[in-house]
Amino acid sequence: MFKKLLQIACLFFALSTYSQIVINEIDADTPGTDTKEFIELKSTSPNFSLNGYVVVLFNGGSNGLSNISYLALDLDGYTTDINGLFLIGNNQVSPTPTYIIPNASIQNGPDVVAIYQANATDFPLNTPANTTNLIDALAYSANASSTPSTIMSALGLTACGIDNTNSSSNISIQRNNNGTYTSASPTPGQNNDGSGIMLNHVTITASANAINEGENIIFTFTAETPVVGSNLIINMVVNNGPFNLQDISGTLTTFIPVGQTSISHTLLIVDDEYNEGDEELLLNVQPLQTGYVLNNNFLVVRVKESNFDVKAWGTPAEPTYGIVSPDYPSGYYSSLEGLSGSALKQELQNIIANPAVVRAHSYADIWDILKTADQNPKNSSQVWLIYTENPRSKLDQQSESSIVGKWNREHIYCQSRGNYGNLYNTYAGGINNYFLSNANDIDAGLTDAHHLRAVDGQENSSRNNRNYGVDYNGPSGSAGSWKGDAARAVFYMAVRYNGLNVVNGNPIDNTLGQIGDLATLINWNHLDASDDFEMNRNNYIYTWQMNRNPFIDYPALVDYIWGANAGQPWYSNLSTHQFDDSKVSIYPNPTKGNLTVSGIETSGTLELYSTLGQIVLEQKFMGETNFTFNLPSGIYIAKIKTENKIITRKIILEN
């Protein structure tokens, strides 16, 4: 933590001393995830028009993108306040900045911020630093030993301010009245020397962070001191994307009466009986009258959809089978019949990597694909998360740097092992904007939805590039409802793309083209059978990519390529496609130690597996049979083998 006041001269020539607008303060490096960064400008006179000015941020580092612009903020239409101040920053800065920028927009340095008499269009991305129409500039760094020396030379700067944040404390670089700069505790929205007109700060609170349609939300506005002179008028805007005036009932104007310090205002969230998905009300209070300033603004209230769709099939945690049928053209797999070994694998690749029909889309499109492919069957406003086995609102899509409570795009065959590149890492083009792809198009693996799943942001980081089974088995408490899905996604990738393989053991991190563990994944394919959720996503992804994951349609193909049947001819009518016989019942479930298997008239074998894949019971039977056992409570997988069928159920054992 840099605590010592640092007095440095940062004006690049004498004229800057007389500029009408200068950089008054900057806080580029704040504790945590840089949610309170800001830049403060100051004019020599109050209420100064900023038309014709632009703030430009330059990257002053030593990498290949140094000494060029990375952000330009056009100030047309803005003015400074009664103290001559203008605040640019994140929406968590207090008081609320007039110009809001996303979190982490300002780099920590060593960099330079400058004011020009120009427009943002004059500074497209990667514009070299120059002195044409330059009004003021400030070099800054998080480390006194590292300065943006090259760009300082280009702009004529001779000194650099230090914004050193190494703990929960924070400092900013502040301009003194004599043109020097000091490092001290931040003072956004007020003169650095404490002078000027004292403003009455207003704080906004909401009665809830999330509500259901049909409920009231109450906003309370509280001033530091009683309102004087005339009522404090408060005008609100709540529009936010699809959320608009049709979604509320109530006026958007209120006031704090003279002599009082607060007022509460109620809005009804309308239940319109349409399924629009979860939405967010964004409360934007308009600028207050002279003498008042908002401490905070842009409150977000989650509005939960009451009219969401519910599908007939279950989640992976409560799977159903046979409701969703595979939706592929007649003869799609017919060329596989009678093939074995490498010929079977090659022909499978010919189908799912057919360069004449198979499509690749952009990485940005994956967000939209997953919102449908991984939609929670119980609530269409949510996606179902792999690994953590729980739903999350589609609105909680990860952006910027925060991952807590967000969902992201998980590569089952991780990026560092696939080495996919960035060819398709572009803007969302939609289902009709695509590239034809082939087996050698490894870049398409970046955006191949058959191995991309909605995932909790933190768990995504935890899995990282670890191999399945021997290294990664999900978070603590995972019931394993995702394991077969992950296995079949890995097997798909190992066939779809040349150079990708699934191998035994635990190949070291970042081993290109290798992921493990083969034995574990074969076992997972058996224990966690393809269910309706997985079949539905296979059908939907097919509409985008024009290929399918064959191991969802025919899980037994895994055994004929890598497992016990490897080398044997494949015939689809002999495959152990799970759950074809809906007459089979296993009950009661949950159970306290007894199970009845009915609906089977021939001989069979009952196997019980733990979630770790260990067999804990194996018993042969004939016809309807009752089984008793003494095992610890928990979740087990019951597998019934009979003739050419394998029937699998998840069993909950209670004490």
Side-chain angles (χ1 to χ4, degrees):
M1 177 66 189
F2 186 91
K3 296 182 178 178
K4 188 176 181 180
L5 296 184
L6 179 66
Q7 301 289 339
I8 55 176
C10 277
L11 300 182
F12 64 96
F13 49 72
L15 181 61
S16 296
T17 305
Y18 305 102
S19 298
Q20 292 180 303
I21 186 79
V22 296
I23 299 164
N24 194 54
E25 187 173 359
I26 183 171
D27 191 357
D29 187 11
T30 63
T33 56
D34 284 340
T35 58
K36 296 184 179 181
E37 306 172 315
F38 68 87
I39 299 169
E40 184 181 74
L41 310 182
K42 183 173 177 60
S43 59
T44 54
S45 58
N47 305 313
F48 178 77
S49 173
L50 297 176
N51 287 338
Y53 291 92
V54 60
V55 169
V56 182
L57 291 90
F58 292 99
N59 186 337
S62 58
N63 57 46
L65 297 177
S66 62
N67 309 318
I68 51 180
S69 66
Y70 67 89
L71 184 63
L73 306 173
D74 204 302
L75 303 183
D76 288 349
Y78 293 101
T79 60
T80 60
D81 66 13
I82 195 170
N83 287 315
L85 300 177
F86 182 77
L87 193 59
I88 301 168
N90 308 141
N91 58 16
Q92 293 186 40
V93 174
S94 182
T96 299
T98 305
Y99 195 128
I100 300 293
I101 57 176
N103 291 347
S105 291
I106 305 172
Q107 296 182 1
N108 291 347
D111 292 319
V112 169
V113 57
I115 307 173
Y116 287 87
Q117 200 154 21
N119 296 308
T121 53
D122 297 320
F123 292 90
L125 185 66
N126 299 335
T127 299
N130 63 83
T131 58
T132 303
N133 296 322
L134 180 65
I135 302 301
D136 191 30
L138 172 64
Y140 66 91
S141 177
N143 191 328
S145 64
S146 177
T147 63
S149 56
T150 303
I151 197 169
M152 289 173 63
S153 177
L155 296 180
L157 301 175
T158 59
C160 177
I162 305 301
D163 178 6
N164 190 353
T165 302
N166 291 323
S167 68
S168 58
S169 301
N170 190 28
I171 62 171
S172 66
I173 303 170
Q174 304 172 18
R175 189 178 192 274
N176 300 312
N177 292 332
N178 63 2
T180 62
Y181 281 83
T182 296
S183 295
S185 297
T187 60
Q190 57 184 295
N191 285 330
N192 298 333
D193 62 1
S195 64
I197 298 173
M198 296 300 296
L199 301 175
N200 193 348
H201 290 74
V202 177
T203 300
I204 313 168
T205 57
S207 58
N209 295 323
I211 60 172
N212 298 312
E213 289 183 329
E215 296 179 346
N216 288 324
I217 183 70
I218 302 172
F219 293 106
T220 300
F221 306 89
T222 304
E224 284 183 307
T225 59
V227 171
V228 297
S230 60
N231 296 336
L232 174 58
I233 307 300
I234 298 171
N235 293 309
M236 295 163 274
V237 175
V238 296
N239 290 19
N240 184 33
F243 190 93
N244 54 48
L245 294 178
Q246 304 302 314
D247 295 307
I248 66 162
S249 177
T251 64
L252 291 174
T253 298
T254 188
F255 63 89
I256 302 177
V258 171
Q260 297 186 24
T261 57
S262 68
I263 192 71
S264 293
H265 189 71
T266 301
L267 295 174
L268 171 66
I269 306 302
V270 175
D271 184 355
D272 55 13
E273 299 185 358
Y274 291 101
N275 179 15
E276 301 167 304
D278 290 349
E279 299 175 298
E280 288 182 328
L281 180 160
L282 177 65
L283 181 71
N284 179 6
V285 174
Q286 301 301 286
L288 303 176
Q289 58 213 53
T290 301
Y292 298 88
V293 64
L294 291 167
N295 253 341
N296 63 316
N297 200 358
F298 304 103
L299 271 69
V300 175
V301 177
R302 175 68 52 84
V303 178
K304 298 181 179 179
E305 178 60 59
S306 300
N307 305 286
F308 51 80
D309 290 337
V310 178
K311 300 298 184 183
W313 57 89
T315 68
E318 298 176 332
T320 58
Y321 307 93
I323 298 174
V324 181
S325 300
D327 186 15
Y328 52 80
S330 176
Y332 186 75
Y333 293 116
S334 60
S335 60
L336 301 179
E337 297 296 299
L339 298 181
S340 62
S342 59
L344 175 62
K345 183 178 179 182
Q346 181 58 57
E347 183 57 27
L348 200 56
Q349 184 185 70
N350 293 343
I351 296 171
I352 65 174
N354 185 345
V357 298
V358 175
R359 302 172 178 179
H361 295 81
S362 82
Y363 196 36
D365 280 317
I366 291 298
W367 291 116
D368 292 329
I369 294 174
L370 294 184
K371 286 175 183 177
T372 298
D374 288 358
Q375 181 172 296
N376 179 13
K378 294 185 176 181
N379 186 332
S380 57
S381 298
Q382 303 170 336
V383 290
W384 184 264
L385 305 183
I386 197 170
Y387 305 147
T388 54
E389 303 170 311
N390 65 300
R392 184 156 299 162
S393 175
K394 293 178 181 179
L395 290 179
D396 292 321
Q397 175 180 316
Q398 184 174 320
S399 61
E400 300 173 358
S401 57
S402 177
I403 64 175
V404 179
K406 303 297 183 180
W407 66 275
N408 204 343
R409 301 160 294 187
E410 161 73 332
H411 289 84
I412 300 297
Y413 201 116
C414 36
Q415 293 190 66
S416 60
R417 296 178 183 273
N419 194 31
Y420 306 123
N422 292 305
L423 181 61
Y424 299 103
N425 197 5
T426 56
Y427 64 90
I431 193 170
N432 294 318
N433 192 343
Y434 59 86
F435 306 89
L436 291 176
S437 182
N438 57 61
N440 292 316
D441 182 15
I442 192 64
D443 286 338
L446 176 73
T447 68
D448 196 318
H450 283 302
H451 86 124
L452 282 152
R453 293 291 293 264
V455 64
D456 173 76
Q458 290 173 287
E459 192 60 31
N460 185 34
S461 296
S462 178
R463 189 264 161 143
N464 198 6
N465 57 10
R466 295 155 67 188
N467 294 293
Y468 289 110
V470 289
D471 192 8
Y472 181 76
N473 287 279
S476 176
S478 170
S481 66
W482 52 271
K483 291 183 175 180
D485 304 45
R488 288 180 283 276
V490 168
F491 291 130
Y492 162 85
M493 293 295 286
V495 173
R496 165 68 175 87
Y497 297 96
N498 290 332
L500 298 188
N501 301 281
V502 53
V503 299
N504 277 311
N506 190 16
I508 62 174
D509 293 353
N510 304 325
T511 303
L512 295 183
Q514 291 190 14
I515 192 170
D517 167 53
L518 175 59
T520 296
L521 293 170
I522 291 174
N523 192 37
W524 285 1
N525 179 56
H526 294 158
L527 293 178
D528 176 33
S530 172
D531 56 25
D532 288 319
F533 181 91
E534 200 176 359
M535 187 64 74
N536 176 71
R537 80 184 311 274
N538 199 19
N539 289 343
Y540 182 71
I541 294 168
Y542 178 69
T543 66
W544 280 74
Q545 297 185 182
M546 301 307 293
N547 74 343
R548 300 180 65 83
N549 183 338
F551 304 109
I552 295 174
D553 296 329
Y554 289 104
L557 273 168
V558 170
D559 294 322
Y560 280 79
I561 295 176
W562 291 279
N565 302 108
Q568 299 176 17
W570 163 263
Y571 295 99
S572 58
N573 63 328
L574 297 179
S575 69
T576 54
H577 194 283
Q578 292 94 328
F579 308 105
D580 287 340
D581 195 342
S582 60
K583 298 179 181 179
V584 176
S585 297
I586 304 177
Y587 62 91
N589 190 15
T591 179
K592 294 186 179 296
N594 66 289
L595 283 176
T596 297
V597 176
S598 65
I600 295 178
E601 299 178 356
T602 60
S603 62
T605 302
L606 172 68
E607 297 175 350
L608 276 184
Y609 291 83
S610 71
T611 56
L612 297 177
Q614 298 172 324
I615 188 166
V616 295
L617 175 70
E618 182 177 9
Q619 188 170 336
K620 295 185 181 300
F621 68 94
M622 175 69 73
E624 182 171 325
T625 305
N626 180 263
F627 301 89
T628 59
F629 45 86
N630 183 18
L631 294 169
S633 61
I635 296 175
Y636 294 84
I637 304 298
K639 180 188 292 186
I640 297 174
K641 296 180 178 180
T642 174
E643 295 181 344
N644 293 314
K645 298 181 185 296
I646 294 179
I647 301 167
T648 307
R649 297 287 192 271
K650 182 180 295 182
I651 303 298
I652 299 175
L653 176 59
E654 298 175 340
N655 289 328

